[in-house]
Amino acid sequence: MSSVLVHYHEVALKRGNRPYFVRLLRQNLATSVSDLGLLGIKHLSARLLVLLEEAARPEEIYRRLQGVFGVANFSLVEKCPLDLEVLKAKIINALDGRPFSSFRVQTKRSDKTFPLTSPEISREVGGCIKARSGARVDLKNADLTVSIEILPDGAFFSFEKIAGPGGLPVGASGRVVSLISGGIDSPVAAYRMMQRGCRLTFVHFHSVPYLDKTSQAKTRDLVKQLTRHQFASRLYLAPFGEIQRQIVAAVQRPLRVVLYRRMMMRIAESIARKEKASALVTGESLAQVASQTLANLAVIEEAASMPILRPLVGMDKLEIIDQARRIGTLEISIIPDQDCCQLFVPRHPATKAKISDVQQAESHLDIPALTQLGVDNVEVEEFKFPPPARACPA
Ligand code: ATP
Ligand code: MG
């Protein structure tokens, strides 16, 4: 059996809500490893112990847990009875064949009935390792860190602590609708909202048949990648070409991009109400492109009555690209595609759209009918992680 001791971000968890957060985290952990021979999850004094069949490969366990928001760090641990001599023997045994020339021992004791204090346990175990291995103690730059946790349930030790993604368990902050293009920014925005505990429903606007289907294929791959963190996703694919055609026929060039965006907000908001979501999320970043000036963001926002969350608003492009690379979306986003926003786009879009001009332009359009057109023709796709074919029957 493999046991993984998971630490969560306690400080982030408000006192009264803690049981709720921990329950969510536990559910999410269980789903993330549901196809790796999950035997159970135990709650042990501010930690969760995930028990898996021995067959699970450690690298795969690590990959999964590194995707579960709310996890501060985790370690593959070995359990032994609350007995110092047994603990020493087990550690020596587990270190057999492991090369290291320096080491340190760190102990946390949450079971205060254990007769030795944490520093005493570290000293005892450290002395034993030193005598057996000949390695020196180095508290700052050790080759090997032996971590010991004394819990009421038993003593646990590990040789490796792996950082989790932090944040809050997905589900803790409610549902939001994420406007996702095939680009670099919106998947990063989605990731950051999931990290804050949101569950996302995705909406993608495409211009098939005016443009090809690459943006849809990329978006599917992006949603698939992001679903590793929330385990189930719904993607709405909304046809936008006809709406753009009508905007082009009625509105002068510079205002078109802002009008496209306003239509996207209206359609996304209508989907959000159906999904019982309480905000919209975009990958907009202040002044990154002409359509994202402060003036334009305000005009875009005016079209929706729901809050629009823009987690990237203060990030620069290099920071966003860096994060996209780390979360595994960059390689999908950079595949060339035909995005709907490139369709009928003016060379010089308005950088300071005025709400009065925009409203005047929209008065030539039947906005409720256009919104309905978008909503009525959506296609819905569902994504699951782990993929159902691989999941174990309950
Ligand atoms: P991204 O890389 O996310 O496409 P961008 O820098 O290309 O962003 P824009 O094309 O101006 O910026 O889009 C701004 C935001 O509007 C996007 O981050 C996304 O949230 C939303 N958006 C743009 N195009 C689409 C689309 N085709 N479907 C859904 N949302 C979109
Ligand atoms: Mg884009």
Side-chain angles (χ1 to χ4, degrees):
M1 186 172 71
S2 306
S3 309
V4 189
L5 197 58
V6 174
H7 288 249
Y8 42 85
H9 270 308
E10 269 199 279
V11 271
L13 307 185
K14 310 284 178 292
R15 220 161 238 275
N17 290 334
R18 192 170 300 169
Y20 170 66
F21 284 119
V22 174
R23 208 165 50 242
L24 270 177
L25 179 59
R26 189 180 177 144
Q27 268 169 21
N28 292 350
L29 282 168
T31 311
S32 80
V33 294
S34 57
D35 60 340
L36 301 183
L38 177 66
L39 300 172
I41 299 185
K42 282 190 190 172
H43 193 195
L44 304 176
S45 21
R47 296 154 181 84
L48 290 168
L49 183 68
V50 181
L51 303 168
L52 297 160
E53 281 168 13
E54 198 62 77
R57 284 182 299 122
E59 318 84 73
E60 189 55 29
I61 302 174
Y62 295 172
R63 248 162 65 82
R64 300 293 178 90
L65 298 195
Q66 280 173 319
V68 180
F69 292 119
V71 172
N73 59 66
F74 60 91
S75 321
L76 213 51
V77 290
E78 221 177 287
K79 183 179 177 185
C80 76
L82 287 164
D83 177 315
L84 188 63
E85 292 312 313
V86 180
L87 178 64
K88 282 186 199 169
K90 281 224 171 203
I91 291 177
I92 295 296
N93 191 31
L95 283 175
D96 194 30
R98 189 182 273 260
F100 62 98
S101 56
S102 60
F103 74 99
R104 63 179 172 166
V105 181
Q106 286 181 335
T107 306
K108 276 195 200 143
R109 187 186 60 143
S110 75
D111 177 11
K112 304 294 180 200
T113 62
F114 194 77
L116 276 72
T117 64
S118 299
E120 285 166 350
I121 299 166
S122 295
R123 233 179 351 258
E124 282 279 335
V125 173
C128 182
I129 297 174
K130 194 165 188 288
R132 286 301 189 96
S133 66
R136 69 191 156 79
V137 174
D138 185 335
L139 298 182
K140 287 211 174 103
N141 263 322
D143 291 346
L144 174 80
T145 299
V146 178
S147 303
I148 300 173
E149 306 212 25
I150 306 292
L151 306 181
D153 222 51
F156 295 83
F157 67 89
S158 64
F159 303 135
E160 202 174 13
K161 188 175 274 185
I162 294 149
L168 297 170
V170 165
S173 304
R175 184 176 290 279
V176 297
V177 162
S178 162
L179 284 85
I180 188 163
S181 69
I184 294 172
D185 305 325
S186 41
V188 176
Y191 179 94
R192 292 177 83 96
M193 293 317 299
M194 282 194 276
Q195 193 174 32
R196 296 312 304 153
C198 290
R199 218 180 267 290
L200 307 185
T201 299
F202 296 94
V203 181
H204 174 69
F205 297 94
H206 64 83
S207 302
V208 175
Y210 299 95
L211 297 177
D212 71 18
K213 290 186 172 175
T214 35
S215 80
Q216 290 185 51
K218 281 172 67 180
T219 302
R220 277 189 197 100
D221 284 349
L222 290 167
V223 170
K224 198 168 144 197
Q225 174 68 12
L226 292 165
T227 303
R228 297 182 70 89
H229 306 284
Q230 64 171 9
F231 318 114
S233 303
R234 179 170 292 163
L235 167 64
Y236 285 83
L237 294 162
F240 204 59
E242 175 56 23
I243 295 170
Q244 285 176 292
R245 205 190 57 73
Q246 293 201 27
I247 292 175
V248 167
V251 180
Q252 347 137 335
R253 287 176 172 264
L255 283 182
R256 284 177 194 164
V257 176
V258 170
L259 260 71
Y260 294 169
R261 285 286 184 289
R262 283 168 63 87
M263 283 312 304
M264 285 185 184
M265 294 304 158
R266 293 186 180 106
I267 295 165
E269 183 166 16
S270 165
I271 292 170
R273 296 208 185 283
K274 203 167 104 194
E275 288 281 319
K276 303 207 177 351
S278 38
L280 305 179
V281 179
T282 76
E284 288 159 317
S285 161
L286 185 60
Q288 192 191 82
V289 288
S291 58
Q292 296 173 23
T293 60
L294 211 45
N296 285 354
L297 292 183
V299 169
I300 292 167
E301 196 156 297
E302 200 269 346
S305 57
M306 255 180 203
I308 298 177
L309 307 177
R310 299 178 169 107
L312 311 188
V313 75
M315 286 176 78
D316 71 45
K317 193 78 187 186
L318 290 180
E319 288 175 296
I320 298 170
I321 290 174
D322 207 43
Q323 182 156 27
R325 189 176 292 116
R326 279 184 274 120
I327 65 174
T329 56
L330 185 68
E331 58 194 42
I332 305 167
S333 296
I334 58 177
I335 297 168
D337 69 357
Q338 296 185 312
D339 182 68
C340 72
C341 298
Q342 296 156 3
L343 190 61
F344 319 123
V345 172
R347 210 168 310 178
H348 299 293
T351 50
K352 281 191 184 170
K354 280 208 211 105
I355 190 71
S356 51
D357 294 344
V358 167
Q359 282 166 345
Q360 162 68 18
E362 284 181 349
S363 68
H364 301 294
L365 294 161
D366 185 346
I367 296 292
L370 279 185
T371 308
Q372 204 52 44
L373 185 70
V375 173
D376 286 346
N377 291 296
V378 288
E379 285 170 74
V380 183
E381 294 183 10
E382 308 284 347
F383 295 76
K384 290 256 185 300
F385 185 84
R390 292 175 55 201
C392 283

